[in-house]
Amino acid sequence: LADAYVALGRQESAFHALDVAAALASNVKPASMRAMVDLMRLCVEVSVRLRSAEELSDHDHYAANRTSSVRPREDAQLAEDLARASISFGPDSFDGHRAAQLRAMLCAGSGSRSVQWLQVLQDELAWIRVRGLHGMEASFRLEAGLACLGANNSASAAEFLKPLTFDEQKLVRHRYAVELEYCLSKLHTHHGRHSDALRYYKLYSCGTLESMRTGAASVRSPRCLATLAK
């Protein structure tokens, strides 16, 4: 549910859902359930931070992220908590790698020692590909691309995004089509191809409006959240 809210740019609802999940996880066994919810919250916070970069001020989520009453942790604290989570889960575990990936995206997106963190992203991408985690690879490439665009590093963004964007016919059917069109608009702008940039931004805008219409109809605050919160 939190993931669905984030996709719609409704981060306050996402954090509310995670608050309820955290309260429930605190009262059940195994104790690792709470750690999983905490990692999900870190995922949401990084997602919000990546889409709040000044370079991405024309992203649909930018204004909502900037004006939300629920704010993510500061970058330094968020990076520290992700490092701690990676160690806690174990650096060789799936969740440990996920925490390391999020930390690298956050740091690469903030421009802090970006070369070092870009190498970490490449290493994590290799880890995903060796294990054949195709669904995870797509979301990883999109997030890494957004992080690079937020740091005004279009070359690295293009490298991460290319396998998802080189075929326009497949692109329009991709589950991340809307944000991929946004990324292509930014890349074309950087290279001075303004007509292509405008074309993709129009596709992105139309896709965003459609997502908002269908999402608003299908993802409402379910009554179960209020019931579970009690």
Side-chain angles (χ1 to χ4, degrees), residues 35 81-91 93 96:
D81 291 343
L82 286 163
R84 190 179 299 113
S86 182
I87 294 171
S88 176
F89 282 112
S93 68

Side-chain angles (χ1 to χ4, degrees), residues 42 45-47 49-50 53 74-83 98-121 143-144 146-153 160:
L42 289 168
E45 291 193 40
V46 171
S47 176
R49 297 298 285 185
L50 293 181
E74 293 299 319
D75 285 359
Q77 184 62 55
L78 192 51
E80 182 179 330
D81 291 343
L82 286 163
R98 182 57 179 153
Q101 293 161 15
L102 292 167
R103 185 185 182 207
M105 289 173 194
L106 179 71
C107 295
S110 67
S112 173
R113 293 182 293 171
S114 58
V115 174
Q116 169 193 334
W117 292 112
L118 285 171
Q119 184 57 55
V120 174
L121 287 176
E143 291 170 331
L146 285 168
C148 292
L149 287 172
N152 200 26
N153 184 349
F160 281 116

Side-chain angles (χ1 to χ4, degrees), residues 28-151:
V28 299
K29 293 182 180 181
S32 59
M33 288 296 295
R34 178 55 193 262
M36 294 291 294
V37 175
D38 290 342
L39 178 60
M40 183 62 203
R41 189 179 188 92
L42 289 168
C43 290
V44 171
E45 291 193 40
V46 171
S47 176
V48 170
R49 297 298 285 185
L50 293 181
R51 292 162 177 79
S52 300
E54 290 292 343
E55 290 292 331
L56 307 185
S57 60
D58 53 350
H59 192 287
D60 178 61
H61 293 183
Y62 177 86
N65 291 344
R66 288 282 178 160
T67 58
S68 173
S69 60
V70 182
R71 303 292 297 164
R73 281 158 273 199
E74 293 299 319
D75 285 359
Q77 184 62 55
L78 192 51
E80 182 179 330
D81 291 343
L82 286 163
R84 190 179 299 113
S86 182
I87 294 171
S88 176
F89 282 112
D92 295 327
S93 68
F94 179 91
D95 293 317
H97 274 278
R98 182 57 179 153
Q101 293 161 15
L102 292 167
R103 185 185 182 207
M105 289 173 194
L106 179 71
C107 295
S110 67
S112 173
R113 293 182 293 171
S114 58
V115 174
Q116 169 193 334
W117 292 112
L118 285 171
Q119 184 57 55
V120 174
L121 287 176
Q122 292 289 357
D123 292 343
E124 287 296 329
L125 177 59
W127 181 86
I128 290 170
R129 299 192 70 187
V130 164
R131 284 155 182 80
L133 303 172
H134 303 299
M136 186 178 184
E137 180 180 346
S139 62
F140 177 92
R141 285 184 177 279
L142 173 61
E143 291 170 331
L146 285 168
C148 292
L149 287 172

Side-chain angles (χ1 to χ4, degrees), residues 16 19-21 23-24 223-230:
H16 173 59
D19 287 341
V20 174
L24 289 171
R223 292 180 182 178
C224 65
L225 277 183
T227 302
L228 290 170
K230 296 177 181 179

